[in-house]
């Protein structure tokens, strides 16, 4: 078909109606975006945006979990840190008592017995510290189901060697328990073994205290090492938590940018759609008034 | 020399012809808004000397007036054919886009209510058990089982929705084909009436309009095209085969399974009623429905099934390496991890699908959180499952790619639909521009015919008064 096609009143009416409906549809789409606050209500609205939005949603949820894991891990480590500090303090006191006992030597058994009694008291405190718990779980007991890591009577380790880890970032797992056997020594150099020996030797064999002091220094060393290790792990958890929180913020922002409506821009768009809808209406009403009928007598 | 009264007859033919033209104008105006009406035009022919040459007599008259030779229906076969083809394409695109939009509705992404969110909740619940102060505590474990139930519910829902969508389409197909059969029969009947009228020399324009409207309806529903035949009849073809041949119609029927889960070897299809052979339908609503039922929905169902299968296999694989809270620590009696998810029938051989995926663990204590036997408080297996959530080939990734594909396919279908709609509208307009009634034009014609009628009457009265003059002379 070439040239100007024949225009009829009906086709004019039909095309006017089409124009009006098209305008109204765009008007309502803009209105829907504004009232829902989202530009993506189904995948076809923006396929790439949908997939990105889903990725960000998952990312936000994961990082919230990482952050919660970090909270728990941080609390474990804080509890461990204070217990280790207590142990350290008490061990220093034990060391002083042992040194006193050694210098008193064989001269004063009564004084040494008094020292031994103090050591025995400190042993109770040390048992308490070594059995420090976080939410009912001994922080030095590995993954044991029991509530203690060290037997109060024998001083033997009753925890297990399992480790408790917290995932604080993608691929970042931080150990939050502190192994009791590594920290407080094992075999003859185990903390409570040493304490018991000091107590016994204070009473009966002060000459052996030199060897005991050397063993005690080993234990103190282990505790201090554990303290610095706990400090390092705390730092790591905190840093990863900061990262997780930053990821939550960044992903929320990105998701908002993908899905969210630019309200000022959309409001202007809405006004524009309104104007063109009105224009279509008014054009239709003018055009459709025209008919030869109006000009014939 | 013509007869004295010849002019009277000439004027009379003018009156008759113009009056007929006025009637047709009236018919056009009356049908200005009738869908499918083609405007009509009176064809007139001036009457002159006889065609036989004569030696001894010569015709010297001005002519014998006018004769109405017919009432023509103004259509353009090419435009009509294009309209039919484009309507078929448009309907198929419309159905396809609607199918995909419905599927999008099923998945409701991106949102807080979709499968993605509940899968994420599940993985977080695994983490919550593994990374809680007490991985053996029943609280977080019960929450985990609830979250797992939540995912399977979502997968079942989506699968059921797709099945329902399929079943609705299957019913629509049955109804469409039943309606097509009625329509083809009506077209055949109309063809018969038109044929008889045409042979008898009676105009059948209105019948032809109705018939062409029905052919266009078949274009919409099954992508049929019309092919003009003898005596004003139209044959209707689908994929080159005649659905209506002159005055006889062939019935169609629907064959194939009504169960969306049993497509092969008996997929839904349209067949010839007579011999049951399949009919190739690619356009029209029926073409769109067949594509939706045999391709689109099965493809998304199978993608969804893969997501469910992948969820089950990846979670099970890690869960099986763990040990539950059995304090005896005996792997033989219950320490061992078992399948976390499985098919509803409880076997290990039935493949897991979105419809049958079930949480196998009902007792929170049977969640195998620990990497070592003995019912300790190790939750590392749970953490391993949680950490596997963003594996590149895991269920989250395959679900995301399902949604991505759906978005792209639906968007493409909508764009194509817009184009098809434009093209079909243009084709409608082209037909309308030829066949449509323009009231201004009819009014203009009305004035012309009115003037011509008045003039013919004037001629009659002038002739009458001229003859009167002669008669008065004779009377003297």
């Amino acid at each position: 078909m070439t040239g100007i096609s024949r225009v009829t009143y009906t086709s004019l009416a039909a095309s006017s109606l089409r124009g009006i409906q098209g305008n109204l549809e765009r008007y309502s789409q803009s209105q829907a975006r504004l009232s829902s606050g989202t530009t993506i209500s189904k995948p076809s609205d923006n396929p790439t945006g949908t997939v990105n939005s889903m990725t960000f949603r998952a990312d936000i949820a994961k990082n919230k979990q990482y952050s919660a894991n970090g909270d728990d891990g941080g609390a474990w480590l804080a509890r461990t840190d204070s217990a280790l500090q207590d142990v350290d303090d008490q061990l220093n006191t034990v060391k002083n008592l042992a040194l006193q006992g050694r210098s008193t030597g064989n001269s004063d058994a009564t004084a040494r017995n008094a020292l031994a009694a103090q050591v025995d008291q400190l042993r109770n405190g040390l048992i308490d510290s070594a059995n420090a718990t976080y939410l009912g779980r001994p922080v030095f007991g590995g993954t044991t189901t029991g509530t203690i890591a060290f037997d109060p009577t024998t001083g033997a380790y009753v925890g297990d060697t399992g480790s408790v880890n917290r995932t604080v970032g993608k691929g970042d797992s931080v150990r939050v328990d502190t192994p009791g056997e590594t920290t407080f020594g094992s075999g003859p150099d185990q903390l409570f073994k040493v304490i018991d020996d000091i107590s016994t030797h204070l009473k009966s064999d002060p000459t052996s205290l030199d060897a005991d002091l050397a063993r005690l220094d080993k234990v103190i060393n282990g505790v201090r090492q554990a303290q610095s290790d706990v400090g390092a792990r705390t730092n790591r958890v905190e840093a990863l938590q900061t990262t997780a929180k930053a990821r939550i913020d960044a992903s929320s922002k990105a998701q908002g940018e993908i899905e969210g409506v630019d309200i000022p821009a959309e409001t202007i768009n809405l006004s524009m759609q309104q104007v063109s809808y009105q224009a279509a209406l008014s054009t239709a009403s003018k055009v459709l008034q025209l008919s030869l009928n109006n000009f014939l007598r | 020399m013509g007869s004295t009264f010849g002019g009277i007859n000439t004027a009379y033919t003018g009156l008759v012809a113009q009056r007929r033209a006025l009637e047709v104008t009236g018919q056009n105006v009356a049908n200005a808004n009738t869908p499918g009406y083609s405007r009509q035009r009176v064809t007139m022919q001036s009457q002159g000397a006889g065609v036989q040459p004569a030696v001894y007599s010569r015709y010297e008259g001005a002519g014998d007036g006018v004769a109405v030779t017919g009432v023509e229906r103004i259509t353009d076969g090419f435009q009509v054919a294009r309209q039919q083809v484009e309507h078929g394409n448009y309907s198929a695109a419309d159905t396809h886009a609607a199918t995909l939009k419905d599927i999008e509705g099923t998945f409701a992404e991106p949102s807080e209510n979709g499968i993605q969110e509940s899968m994420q909740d599940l993985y977080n619940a695994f983490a919550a058990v593994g990374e809680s102060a007490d991985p053996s505590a029943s609280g977080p474990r019960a929450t985990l089982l609830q979250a797992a139930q939540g995912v399977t519910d979502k997968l079942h829902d989506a699968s059921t929705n797709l099945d329902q969508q399929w079943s609705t389409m299957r019913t629509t197909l049955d109804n469409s084909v039943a309606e097509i059969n009625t329509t083809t029969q009506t077209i055949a009947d109309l063809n018969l009436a038109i044929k008889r009228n045409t042979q008898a020399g009676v105009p059948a324009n209105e019948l032809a309009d109705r018939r062409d409207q029905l052919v266009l309806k078949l274009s919409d529903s099954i992508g049929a095209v019309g092919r003009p035949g003898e005596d004003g009849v139209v044959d209707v073809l689908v994929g080159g085969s005649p659905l209506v041949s002159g005055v006889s119609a062939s019935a169609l029927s629907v064959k194939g399974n009504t169960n969306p889960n049993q497509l092969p070897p008996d997929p839904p299809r349209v067949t010839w009623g007579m011999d049951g052979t399949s009919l190739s339908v690619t356009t029209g609503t029926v073409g769109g429905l067949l594509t939706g039922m045999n391709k689109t929905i099965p493809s998304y169902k199978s993608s969804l099934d893969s997501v469910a299968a992948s969820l089950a296999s990846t979670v099970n694989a890690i869960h099986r390496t763990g040990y539950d809270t059995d304090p005896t620590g005996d792997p033989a009696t219950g320490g061992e991890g078992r399948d976390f998810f499985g098919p509803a029938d409880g076997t290990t051989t039935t493949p897991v699908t979105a419809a049958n995926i079930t949480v196998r663990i009902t007792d929170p204590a049977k969640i195998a959180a620990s990497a070592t036997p003995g019912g300790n408080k190790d939750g590392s297996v749970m953490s391993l499952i949680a950490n596997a959530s963003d594996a590149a080939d895991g269920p989250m990734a395959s679900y995301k790619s399902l949604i991505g594909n759906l978005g792209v396919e639906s968007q493409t279908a909508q764009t194509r639909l817009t184009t098809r709609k434009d093209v079909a509208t243009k084709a409608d307009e082209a037909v309308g521009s030829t066949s449509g009634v323009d009231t201004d034009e009819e009014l203009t014609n009305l004035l012309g015919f009115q003037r011509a009628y008045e003039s013919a009457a004037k001629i009659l009265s002038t002739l009458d008064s001229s003859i009167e003059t002669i008669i008065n002379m004779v009377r003297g």
Side-chain angles (χ1 to χ4, degrees), chain B residues 22 75 99 130 156 208 214 222 239 244 279 300 314 333 393 401:
Chain B
L22 283 170
T75 55
T99 305
H156 296 167
L214 292 178
I222 198 167
V244 177
L279 178 64
Y300 285 101
T314 55
T333 58
D393 54 352
S401 101

Side-chain angles (χ1 to χ4, degrees), chain A residues 1 5-11 15 18 40-47 50-51 53-55 57-59 61-62 65-66 69 72 76 134-137 143-145 160 163-168 170 255 259 290-293 296-297, chain B residues 32-33 39 79 101 104 109-112 116-117 120 124 127-128 130-135 375-378 383 386-387 389-390 396 399-400 403-404 407-408 410-411 414 425 429-430 432-434 436-441 443-444 447:
Chain A
M1 202 177 5
S5 67
R6 188 172 161 271
V7 178
T8 69
Y9 184 82
T10 324
S11 69
S15 72
R18 211 165 51 240
I40 309 179
S41 55
K42 53 185 185 314
S44 59
D45 289 342
N46 180 352
T50 301
V51 171
S53 160
M54 288 168 76
T55 308
R57 277 170 192 272
D59 205 41
K62 268 189 99 79
Q65 186 65 44
Y66 291 154
N69 297 348
D72 187 74
W76 268 86
Y134 170 71
L135 295 173
R137 292 184 65 182
T143 57
T144 179
T145 41
D160 63 20
S163 69
V164 178
N165 295 279
R166 291 292 173 259
T167 311
V168 200
K170 187 174 160 63
Q255 192 207 340
E259 285 185 42
L290 294 175
S291 164
L292 193 50
N293 262 315
L296 295 175
R297 270 173 291 123
Chain B
N33 292 318
R39 70 193 163 106
Q79 287 171 344
K101 263 193 175 176
E104 287 189 84
E109 297 288 358
S111 79
E112 280 85 39
Q116 138 115 357
E117 195 81 0
Q120 188 60 55
N124 279 2
E131 318 244 345
S132 70
D134 184 358
N376 56 30
K377 300 206 173 187
D378 171 24
S383 305
N387 293 343
S389 69
D390 45 12
M396 296 278 275
Y399 181 66
K400 211 153 57 182
I403 296 297
V408 171
S410 178
Q411 193 183 47
Q414 284 167 46
T425 309
E429 275 171 10
S433 76
T434 303
V437 175
D438 178 32
T439 44
D440 286 348
E441 181 186 359
L443 283 176
T444 312
L447 295 181

